[in-house]
């Protein structure tokens, strides 16, 4: 009989497997690079490639396996903000304004403009590396969403054509090959643990980083003239329940906020860390893109109820749309539609997408529509249908094998079959993304939603030598194109800086202290808790004291509890192998990111719709005196908060327009 249950295997005397890699705790590898990239995800790979193209020596430290790691590791189907593509009717300036105004100023102006300016060029880079970005096989010839001359295919807004459908399932292997071609040194399975600073001082120039190999336990000391943080988000901060989350998670559970934590400790400034959103990406829904819905990849899908009655689509004014074609066009008078999945949580009405009727929950309650609902792709024109299931589903992250392949092998045929939507309480249908519906996640489970390093027009943080790139590390960035373009730009700028910067001086005492800290869990008695319990405890503190609703007392209690966890459970936690060691070190970063969020939440003494920020002791929403950023950092380990206008990036000493600043800084 095949044994699949671990404890049964052990009970029957099955030998315990040995650790399959050589253990080399304490062995030190010293690596010198001009530009060091921390995190080899989408942003990190582009950063490494553009820095290497400048002719400097580049090293990448990646906790997982660069070839497939990170949120973009399993693919991409929507390429946003391609404003300069030959068919686009949206300028980079218009796009940036639309995002900035929709987010009410709580986004990074420089990052957003850089994204809009360079998204198309970066996509062309990817094409050269082997990613299919056009309908070269003429599978969709004649479709409304295709441009016959360029063979580009567009999503969402077929009139304005700034979002491109791509066959991005192989994007990471392509980036990986390009890095190898350019001679980038890649250190996989090395989880970064700290930044090194001149003289070991907080706020001083960053001159490298340390890391631990999670297979062999070796220690890494990276010495670099410039360093880029591109470690993604903090996927395990509010919830740690892998058995529940499993493949249902959107966020990358490998990303534990390490980049944020080490930057915070090094004295870099952050913005909007108080902004959180409901934890819909953390696995309490269904496997991404696996259920009937009308969001994102499934935009435009017809939804029918259990009796075959179709749910109407409406434009931004609530007017019913009679044809499928209209679902993909702006409403009369509307300039353009922004499209979703770009890292903002609020939209000005003038940039919204067409959608299902907005009172669907009430109509379900009244019995007008009967559950379950289904996505009936057979009602779409054949080319639309195949663009969704076959092209987008198959190239979108996490869909190629789990959804497209599995469903197809099981007999699902979109020409014939419908996809059921999850059965939920009616309010679950208020948002078109049914598989991740917020109703499935309790309100105290949150996600980081846009907070990160405050960067300037060079994408440099407030600390010399330290740059940020990617969807999560940069405050108010977002999306795959955002990660790619900010990576490419930061790589270029970091290389420029490295070419003239002085030699980095490593503080040996700082290295030794970090090495001692990193290996401490190996020396604990095996009576201490392990990383999973620790992670769960941190998440529980975040849920209880920094959930959707908070006040001065809960936040201070949360800070006290995180400190206690650090000094007791975390200080005595133990690791049995290099993998567990890496995870434990990530837990100490999670504690730091939790503290950073709570400190930022204490600093904002007002509630805000735009930040989805709810202070029970300051319930007034967005009072005018709090309409500002509150950059936060550590100085001599004391928390310092200042005020900054939303438009700071267009105020002196910056130039007054996006384009002037871009031209002054872009380094092209
Ligand atoms: C299923 C899915 C589908 C998506 N589809 C789209 C889409 O169609 N269009 C779109 O615009 N966006 C899409 N996104 C979002 C897009 O993938 C992300 O915006 C993008 O990948 C972010 O890139 P990044 O480099 O910032 O982070 P990531 O790609 O997540 O990379 C972060 C990297 O840092 C590494 N790392 C973390 N901690 C450490 C450490 N301590 N030491 C070393 N390395 C570390 C991680 O292993 C990872 O490789 C999708 C996301 C998901 C999950």
């Amino acid at each position: 009989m095949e044994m699949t249950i671990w404890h049964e295997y052990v009970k029957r005397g099955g030998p315990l497997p040995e650790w399959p890699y050589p253990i080399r705790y304490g062995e030190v590898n010293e690596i010198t690079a001009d530009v060091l990239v921390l995190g080899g995800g989408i942003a990190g790979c582009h950063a490494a490639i553009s820095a290497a193209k400048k002719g400097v020596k580049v090293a990448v430290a990646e906790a997982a396996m660069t070839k497939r790691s990170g949120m973009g590791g399993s693919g991409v189907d929507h390429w946003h903000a391609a404003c300069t593509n030959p068919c686009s009717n949206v300028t980079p300036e218009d796009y940036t304004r639309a995002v900035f105004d929709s987010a009410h100023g709580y986004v990074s102006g420089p990052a957003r403009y850089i994204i809009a300016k360079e998204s198309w060029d970066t996509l062309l880079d990817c094409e050269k590396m082997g990613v299919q970005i056009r309908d070269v096989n003429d599978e969709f010839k004649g479709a409304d969403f295709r441009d016959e001359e360029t063979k580009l295919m567009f999503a969402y807004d077929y009139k304005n054509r700034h979002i491109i459908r791509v066959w991005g399932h192989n994007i990471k292997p392509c980036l990986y090959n390009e890095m190898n071609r350019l001679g980038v040194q890649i250190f996989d399975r090395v989880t970064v643990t700290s930044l090194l600073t001149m003289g070991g001082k907080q706020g001083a120039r960053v001159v490298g980083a340390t890391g631990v190999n999670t297979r062999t336990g070796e220690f890494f000391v990276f010495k670099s003239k410039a360093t880029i943080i591109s470690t993604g988000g903090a996927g395990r901060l509010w919830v740690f329940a892998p058995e529940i989350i499993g493949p249902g998670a959107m966020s990358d559970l490998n990303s534990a906020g390490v980049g944020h934590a080490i930057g915070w400790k090094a004295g870099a400034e952050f913005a909007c860390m108080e902004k959180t959103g409901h934890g819909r990406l953390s696995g309490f829904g269904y496997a991404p893109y696996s259920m009937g819905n009308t969001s994102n990849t499934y935009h435009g899908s017809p939804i029918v109820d259990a009796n075959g009655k179709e749910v109407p689509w409406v434009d931004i004014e609530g007017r019913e749309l009679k044809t499928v074609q209209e679902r993909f066009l702006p409403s009369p008078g509307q300039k353009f539609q922004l499209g979703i999945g770009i890292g903002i949580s609020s939209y000005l009405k003038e940039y919204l997408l067409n959608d299902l009727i907005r009172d669907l929950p009430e109509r379900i309650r009244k019995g007008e529509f009967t559950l379950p609902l289904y996505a009936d792709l057979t009602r779409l024109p054949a080319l639309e249908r195949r663009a969704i299931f076959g092209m987008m589903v198959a190239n979108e992250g996490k869909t190629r094998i789990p959804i497209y392949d599995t469903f197809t092998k099981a007999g699902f045929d979109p020409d014939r079959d419908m996809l059921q939507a999850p059965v939920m309480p009616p309010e679950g249908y208020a948002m078109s993304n049914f598989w991740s519906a917020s109703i499935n996640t309790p309100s105290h489970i949150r996600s980081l939603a846009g907070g990160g390093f405050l960067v300037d027009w060079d994408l440099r943080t407030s600390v010399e030598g330290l740059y940020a790139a990617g969807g999560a590390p940069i405050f108010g960035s977002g999306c795959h194109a955002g990660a790619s373009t900010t990576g490419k730009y930061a790589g270029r700028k970091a290389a420029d800086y490295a070419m003239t910067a002085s030699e980095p001086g490593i503080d040996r005492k700082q290295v030794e202290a970090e090495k001692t800290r990193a290996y401490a869990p190996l020396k604990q008695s095996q009576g201490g808790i392990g990383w999973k319990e620790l992670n769960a405890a941190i998440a529980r503190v975040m849920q209880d004291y920094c959930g959707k609703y908070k006040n001065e007392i809960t936040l201070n209690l949360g800070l006290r509890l995180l400190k206690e966890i650090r000094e007791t459970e975390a200080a005595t936690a133990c690791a049995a192998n290099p993998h567990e060691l890496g995870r434990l070190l990530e837990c100490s970063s999670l504690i730091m990111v939790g503290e950073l969020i709570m400190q930022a939440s204490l600093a904002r003494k007002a509630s805000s719709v735009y930040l989805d920020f709810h202070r029970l002791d300051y319930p007034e929403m967005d009072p005018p005196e709090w309409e500002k950023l509150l950059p936060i950092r550590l100085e001599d380990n004391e928390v310092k908060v200042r005020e900054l206008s939303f438009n700071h990036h267009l105020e002196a000493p910056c130039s007054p327009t996006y384009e002037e600043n871009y031209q002054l800084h872009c380094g092209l």
Side-chain angles (χ1 to χ4, degrees):
M1 190 188 81
E2 195 189 326
M3 265 179 296
T4 51
I5 301 174
W6 173 249
H7 70 260
E8 279 183 11
Y9 168 78
V10 175
K11 216 156 95 190
R12 289 175 196 209
L16 291 178
E18 293 203 352
W19 185 250
Y21 309 100
I23 295 278
R24 301 197 187 108
Y25 291 134
E27 263 182 45
V28 179
N29 301 273
E30 297 230 357
I31 316 294
T32 303
D34 294 311
V35 174
L36 171 64
V37 179
L38 305 179
I42 294 298
C45 291
H46 281 280
I49 289 167
S50 79
K53 282 185 176 167
K54 285 252 171 186
V56 300
K57 194 173 169 201
V58 182
V60 175
E62 163 57 45
M65 192 182 73
T66 307
K67 197 172 179 182
R68 279 291 182 191
S69 66
M71 294 226 293
S74 56
V76 52
D77 66 346
H78 288 90
W79 192 276
H80 286 278
C83 301
T84 60
N85 88 73
C87 308
S88 163
N89 291 317
V90 180
T91 66
E93 178 89 25
D94 283 347
Y95 186 90
T96 307
R97 290 265 167 224
V99 174
F100 190 80
D101 293 346
S102 286
H104 204 69
Y106 292 107
V107 286
S108 165
R112 292 294 175 169
Y113 195 66
I114 289 165
I115 294 169
K117 280 290 281 191
E118 299 197 7
S119 167
W120 168 242
D121 291 340
T122 312
L123 185 59
L124 290 177
D125 294 345
C126 295
E127 186 180 34
K128 283 193 205 113
M129 292 175 211
V131 179
Q132 187 187 336
I133 70 162
R134 304 167 203 265
D135 182 24
V136 283
N137 300 321
D138 291 333
E139 288 171 81
F140 295 95
K141 211 170 184 332
D144 290 352
F145 48 81
R146 187 182 123 125
D147 174 62
E148 294 304 317
E149 204 179 315
T150 59
K151 302 192 178 188
L152 291 172
M153 307 226 302
F154 302 96
Y156 292 125
D157 180 341
Y158 294 173
K159 179 161 174 261
N160 290 297
R161 305 187 151 198
H162 55 102
I163 306 163
I164 300 180
R165 288 172 149 149
V166 296
W167 287 255
H169 69 97
N170 62 343
I171 200 148
K172 280 296 301 279
C174 291
L175 290 165
Y176 179 74
N177 292 342
E178 181 69 355
M179 287 198 295
N180 281 323
R181 191 182 72 79
L182 292 166
V184 171
Q185 277 190 290
I186 301 170
F187 297 90
D188 277 344
R189 312 287 175 194
V190 172
T191 193
V192 173
T193 65
S194 78
L195 289 174
L196 299 171
T197 51
M198 282 287 236
K201 291 203 182 74
Q202 200 165 55
R205 178 184 161 199
V206 167
V207 288
T210 58
V212 167
N213 185 302
T214 55
R215 289 191 161 168
T216 63
E218 283 158 83
F219 195 71
F220 280 77
V221 179
F222 296 97
K223 193 170 138 187
S224 56
K225 290 183 180 164
T227 302
I228 301 170
I229 293 200
S230 47
T231 42
R236 310 199 306 264
L237 187 53
W238 267 272
V239 63
F240 182 67
E243 285 81 0
I244 301 171
I245 292 168
M250 268 292 270
S251 43
D252 178 6
L253 301 180
N254 265 324
S255 285
V258 174
H260 292 68
I262 60 180
W264 171 241
K265 205 174 163 200
E269 209 164 27
F270 286 78
C272 273
M273 291 301 287
E274 65 275 30
K275 183 173 190 294
T276 64
H278 70 82
R280 74 188 169 86
L281 301 184
S282 289
F284 286 87
Y286 298 82
Y289 310 96
S290 65
M291 309 292 278
N293 76 110
T294 63
S295 177
N296 194 264
T297 292
Y298 285 90
H299 181 72
S301 298
I303 296 289
V304 298
D305 80 350
N307 301 316
K309 182 175 171 188
E310 189 161 341
V311 178
W313 274 77
V314 290
D315 74 2
I316 61 166
E317 299 297 345
R319 288 176 294 234
E320 193 172 326
L321 299 172
K322 301 280 181 224
T323 63
V324 167
Q325 285 74 20
E326 288 172 291
R327 295 174 194 170
F328 301 97
L329 293 172
S331 302
Q334 186 181 18
K335 217 167 159 189
F336 64 94
Q337 301 184 334
L338 259 177
I340 62 155
I342 54 171
I344 56 172
S345 40
S346 53
Y347 284 78
L348 285 183
K349 187 174 157 193
E350 59 205 270
Y351 302 115
L352 275 176
L353 286 173
N354 305 314
D355 207 344
L356 292 176
I357 41 171
R358 301 188 210 291
D359 58 349
L360 180 56
E362 290 100 277
R363 298 219 213 171
I364 292 171
R365 268 193 205 291
K366 284 186 196 145
E368 195 179 328
F369 296 101
T370 307
L371 298 182
L373 303 182
Y374 300 84
D376 184 359
L377 303 182
T378 69
R379 297 182 186 219
L380 286 175
L383 294 179
E384 285 288 353
R385 178 161 65 245
R386 279 296 163 189
I388 291 178
F389 201 90
M391 192 245 153
M392 307 281 275
V393 176
N395 285 287
E396 173 60 309
K398 292 192 171 184
T399 63
R400 195 172 191 81
I401 307 299
I403 312 303
Y404 183 72
D405 202 49
T406 309
F407 284 24
T408 304
K409 281 183 184 149
F412 175 76
D413 177 356
D415 294 341
R416 204 186 54 207
D417 303 315
M418 299 194 294
L419 258 185
Q420 193 182 309
V423 181
M424 303 182 282
E427 53 273 27
Y429 302 94
M431 201 186 99
S432 55
N433 193 344
F434 303 151
W435 52 263
S436 78
S438 55
I439 198 158
N440 294 312
T441 309
S443 70
H444 58 284
I445 293 182
R446 310 290 286 169
S447 302
L448 266 186
F453 288 90
L454 182 68
V455 289
D456 62 15
W457 275 101
D458 288 336
L459 297 187
R460 206 201 86 171
T461 70
S462 63
V463 173
E464 189 184 346
L466 186 64
Y467 297 75
I474 297 182
F475 131 71
S477 174
C479 86
H480 195 113
S484 310
T485 50
T486 55
K488 182 177 170 181
Y489 190 101
R492 210 159 66 217
K493 297 304 294 184
D496 285 347
Y497 168 80
M499 286 194 260
T500 56
S502 58
E503 276 304 309
I506 298 282
D507 182 72
R508 289 290 152 192
K509 271 200 262 160
Q510 191 179 29
V511 171
E512 279 314 307
E514 180 59 13
K515 199 170 155 211
T516 306
R517 182 188 82 93
Y519 285 129
L522 301 170
K523 304 199 168 78
Q524 310 294 355
S525 89
Q526 296 296 304
I529 62 171
W531 72 275
K532 290 186 180 178
E533 291 85 350
L534 191 55
N535 199 149
I538 296 163
R540 176 59 87 187
V541 172
M542 294 305 293
Q543 289 167 22
D544 287 356
Y545 301 95
C546 193
K548 182 165 182 181
Y549 301 100
K550 43 217 159 206
N551 65 27
E552 195 93 4
I553 299 175
T554 67
L555 290 166
N556 278 312
L557 276 172
L559 282 170
R560 198 182 85 190
L561 281 165
L562 287 180
K563 181 168 178 277
E564 281 175 16
I565 288 181
R566 175 190 288 116
E567 289 168 359
T568 55
E569 284 90 349
T572 54
C574 61
N577 56 50
H579 165 76
E580 292 187 6
L581 181 62
R583 292 296 189 216
L584 261 184
L585 291 167
E586 286 174 355
C587 286
S588 67
S589 290
L590 287 171
I591 293 176
M592 264 192 268
V593 182
E595 288 172 336
L596 166 53
I597 293 167
M598 289 191 198
Q599 292 289 2
S601 303
L602 280 168
R604 185 170 290 278
K605 299 192 189 316
S607 294
S608 169
V609 171
Y610 306 103
L611 297 170
D612 201 355
F613 183 66
H614 306 267
R615 285 279 307 245
L616 292 167
D617 43 354
Y618 297 101
E620 192 186 344
M621 284 289 173
D622 299 294
E625 67 275 22
W626 285 95
E627 301 237 323
K628 58 196 169 195
L629 301 175
L630 299 171
I632 186 167
R633 72 192 159 93
L634 286 178
E635 188 182 303
D636 296 328
N637 284 323
E638 292 271 312
V639 175
K640 301 276 176 197
V641 182
R642 67 180 174 118
E643 297 180 357
L644 192 64
S645 77
F646 292 142
N647 269 318
H648 64 277
H649 54 280
L650 299 178
E651 291 165 359
C654 297
S655 299
T657 69
Y658 282 105
E659 183 61 14
E660 278 174 274
N661 285 298
Y662 176 80
Q663 291 302 340
L664 277 173
H665 290 266
C666 68
L668 290 173

